[in-house]
Amino acid sequence: MARVRAKPWFVYMLECRGGRVYTGIALDVVARFEKHCAGKGAAFTRINPPVHVLAAKRCRDRSSALKAEARLKKLPRAEKLIWADRHKIRA
C-alpha cells in the first residue's frame, strides 16, 4: 500500500507596515498572507498590517516548522533579514 505524504509546512516571514517583521508557519503561505491582510491572522498583523511576504522555507512537517519559527523569532532583526534574503520567494 502506498504511503500518503503529508502536505509540507512552511515557516514564513512577512514585512509589515512600519518595517516590522512577522514570522509564522502555514500549509499555504499565500492563503495565510491573505488572511493576515484581511485582519484574520495574528494580533500582531492586525496592529501592523502586512505589506508582502519576505520569505518562506519548506519544512518536513508541522513540528519542524514550529521549531524553525521559534529559532527565527529569537534572532536579532539583522539576522532575520539575512535569513529572509536567503529564502526569498522567487516569482
Side-chain angles (χ1 to χ4, degrees):
M1 188 175 348
R3 280 176 80 172
V4 177
R5 291 196 70 186
K7 289 185 178 184
W9 281 81
F10 294 85
V11 60
Y12 65 92
M13 198 173 285
L14 306 178
E15 180 177 354
C16 297
R17 208 175 291 159
R20 297 184 191 275
V21 173
Y22 174 82
T23 304
I25 67 167
L27 285 169
D28 183 334
V29 176
V30 173
R32 187 68 177 142
F33 174 71
E34 290 171 357
K35 281 190 175 185
H36 284 298
C37 290
K40 296 179 182 178
F44 181 91
T45 57
R46 285 192 297 274
I47 296 165
N48 305 281
V51 177
H52 66 271
V53 178
L54 281 176
K57 181 181 178 189
R58 184 180 178 146
C59 296
R60 169 174 78 247
D61 53 29
R62 184 174 189 269
S63 176
S64 59
L66 284 167
K67 289 173 185 172
E69 176 190 26
R71 284 190 303 272
L72 282 170
K73 286 183 173 185
K74 291 178 184 177
L75 294 176
R77 178 180 171 78
E79 290 182 38
K80 288 178 185 180
L81 296 176
I82 290 168
W83 182 92
D85 191 52
R86 287 185 186 144
H87 297 93
K88 280 183 184 174
I89 296 177
R90 310 286 181 215

